[in-house]
Amino acid sequence: MSTASILHADLDAFYASVEQRDDPALRGRPVIVGGGVVLAASYEAKAKGIYTTMNGRDARRVCPEAAVVQPRMEAYSKASKAVYEIFNDTAPVVEGISIDEAFLDVAGMEHIGGTPPEIAARLRSRVLAEAGLPISVGVARTKFLAKVASGASKPDGLLVVEPDREAEFLHPLPIEALWGVGKVTTAKLNGMGIRTVGDVARTSRVRLAGVIGESAAAHLLDLANGRDPRPVSPRERRKSIGAQSAFPRGSRDRSEVDSLAAALVDRTARRLRAAERACRTVSIGLRFGDFSRASRARTLAFPTDQTETILAAVRELFDASREEIAEKDLTLIGISLGNLEAADTVQMELPLSENDRLVENSALDQAVDDVRARFGEGVIKRASMIDADQGVPVPTLPD
DNA sequence: TCTGGGGTCCTAGGACCC
DNA sequence: TCTGGGGTCCTAGGACCC
């Protein structure tokens, strides 16, 4: 059908590479980013058995000669922006996947940029020359194949999968190479005697579906047979914003939980407002000492970007979880804001006295006047009120 | 490998509506 | 009086990804 014109570009050991770039003393040495847990390891460290998410103490025991550096998120974010500028300069369509990884579609660029492999080679040398970072690139007909190719080319590699050699490349790989196959699905498929991508391709959909469900079966069969119609397209807007934090081990009382929750709400609400978005669903996530998890969610009648409103919802959710928290050893809490909308409709909480409740409309008018006096005429387009008895604060709808 | 912090997507059941 | 099917929204949990 078509030619291999999708690039998957993936920076190598990204955080560690930025550290080695910025500090010549680290070059050629095993480098671990992150103290408590390994966030990234240089290839020299990986060669000694260090891997991402590894416990920091174990890492230092396995590789005592490694340099351990604290993460510098701002530096990584800046480096990522510089690399993305090169991506955008290389291809008309760029789909960012994460801070260190993107798809580029270079179809139809032969006359201006050369063939896809030529474009990929030039991209690699530009990222090295201009951003000072090694990057691996896979080139193939589909996103999935390009992604697998970049992984196989690492570190600092380039791999082109020609359309007539796709099965030869893909089928010998272990099933974990398929998108959506993790520990659980691997165990299930291994139980059926399926170990490689080729094994999946040769299994009937009905047989697969019996073990992993209809939709996962169809998805895996597509990937294993080189079918992946998803186009490279710029990412949609983010669907949720969240923050989480692990608890130090040991006893904790209610006020500790409260203050950590409040800090997380403050952080996420700030990010929400900075993104000019509002949320309608507020959820909390809990993790316990035995690594079991629980979550609670609450959907508001109106979207909000107000810290106080979000915090009130979060407190309700924690109240609803009180027994669970009392019984088990709480080790992590998370806050997530979902159902995001543009922030042009926002719920605000306004105080209302018992008296006001008897004359709600005039109280609302008064509140609207107050807000306009403080923030200007234009901030409110429409305003309405809902019943506080429903546990939802009084909203206004600023423009 | 005993576990960070950020996310996405899927499933299944219940409430509610027509 | 009893009963159908389709659709949406919400919640909780789980698997997976970087």
Side-chain angles (χ1 to χ4, degrees):
Chain A
M1 163 198 137
S2 56
T3 54
S5 66
I6 294 178
L7 274 54
H8 180 260
D10 197 346
L11 290 152
D12 300 318
F14 178 49
Y15 297 175
S17 294
V18 172
E19 298 302 337
Q20 289 179 320
R21 176 193 71 180
D22 293 350
D23 182 357
L26 298 177
R27 291 177 199 164
R29 286 186 59 193
V31 174
I32 293 171
V33 179
V37 76
V38 177
L39 289 173
S42 70
Y43 278 87
E44 296 84 358
K46 286 181 186 180
K48 303 277 182 181
I50 309 295
Y51 53 87
T52 300
T53 77
M54 190 177 201
N55 179 300
R57 213 176 20 222
D58 293 344
R60 280 187 289 276
R61 184 167 45 74
V62 169
C63 183
E65 69 273 33
V68 179
V69 300
Q70 288 307 303
R72 297 181 299 139
M73 291 310 300
E74 270 181 39
Y76 311 145
S77 171
K78 202 174 152 197
S80 175
K81 281 196 183 109
V83 173
Y84 266 84
E85 272 180 33
I86 301 172
F87 289 164
N88 286 317
D89 197 31
T90 298
V93 189
V94 175
E95 177 178 339
I97 300 296
S98 69
I99 194 164
D100 61 358
E101 191 186 338
F103 287 108
L104 292 73
D105 192 339
V106 299
M109 289 190 65
E110 283 79 2
H111 297 300
I112 27 177
T115 65
E118 288 165 357
I119 295 172
R122 200 167 55 244
L123 173 64
R124 279 173 26 78
S125 48
R126 274 194 69 185
V127 170
L128 187 61
E130 296 170 30
L133 296 168
I135 189 166
S136 295
V137 179
V139 183
R141 185 180 52 81
T142 70
K143 284 164 89 168
F144 172 63
L145 286 161
K147 162 121 179 140
V148 177
S150 75
S153 80
K154 277 180 175 293
D156 200 17
L158 169 61
L159 181 62
V160 181
V161 179
E162 297 295 351
D164 58 353
R165 307 189 66 175
E166 289 173 1
E168 187 186 326
F169 169 66
L170 203 52
H171 284 186
L173 299 174
I175 49 177
E176 289 96 320
L178 294 167
W179 262 6
V181 176
K183 221 165 74 178
V184 175
T185 308
T186 297
K188 285 180 183 168
L189 294 179
N190 284 348
M192 302 171 72
I194 298 174
R195 298 215 135 65
T196 68
V197 175
D199 292 341
V200 172
R202 285 184 291 271
T203 305
S204 80
R205 194 164 59 85
V206 176
R207 194 158 164 255
L208 281 177
V211 177
I212 59 174
E214 204 61 63
S215 90
H219 172 242
L220 260 47
L221 271 177
D222 278 350
L223 293 182
N225 286 294
R227 293 187 297 266
D228 179 11
R230 297 166 307 163
V232 177
S233 67
R235 278 278 149 140
E236 289 169 25
R237 297 242 260 173
R238 207 169 15 184
K239 294 188 170 141
S240 69
I241 292 179
Q244 58 181 59
S245 181
F247 257 119
R249 289 270 172 187
S251 66
R252 61 196 52 96
D253 56 32
R254 206 148 158 212
S255 69
E256 272 182 288
V257 175
D258 269 4
S259 60
L260 182 53
L264 291 170
V265 167
D266 184 60
R267 225 159 80 197
T268 44
R270 277 172 200 278
R271 283 209 282 142
L272 185 69
R273 290 190 292 268
E276 296 187 328
R277 315 210 64 194
C279 71
R280 222 155 60 73
T281 302
V282 177
S283 19
I284 64 167
L286 309 171
R287 196 174 74 191
F288 301 102
D290 59 1
F291 282 90
S292 61
R293 295 161 187 276
S295 65
R296 298 278 178 278
R298 169 108 154 76
T299 297
L300 308 170
F302 289 84
T304 185
D305 66 357
Q306 297 297 299
T307 302
E308 277 310 310
T309 307
I310 295 167
L311 189 54
V314 163
R315 292 217 165 101
E316 266 182 49
L317 295 170
F318 270 101
D319 275 346
S321 315
R322 207 164 12 185
E323 285 186 19
E324 230 169 334
I325 293 173
E327 277 170 21
K328 299 167 100 176
D329 175 32
L330 188 65
T331 56
L332 176 143
I333 69 181
I335 304 294
S336 178
L337 308 176
N339 251 325
L340 299 187
E341 302 180 12
D344 54 1
T345 296
V346 170
Q347 173 181 323
M348 294 183 73
E349 193 172 9
L350 298 170
L352 201 60
S353 72
E354 271 307 307
N355 257 357
D356 290 335
R357 298 188 57 93
L358 302 173
V359 282
E360 288 185 350
N361 284 332
S362 62
L364 180 61
D365 288 345
Q366 181 61 52
V368 168
D369 285 346
D370 288 350
V371 170
R372 287 199 166 125
R374 278 170 61 199
F375 300 106
E377 272 309 302
V379 300
I380 297 180
K381 191 155 61 179
R382 283 180 304 130
S384 61
M385 173 142 33
I386 54 174
D387 195 341
D389 289 346
Q390 296 172 356
V392 183
V394 178
T396 66
L397 306 175
D399 186 16

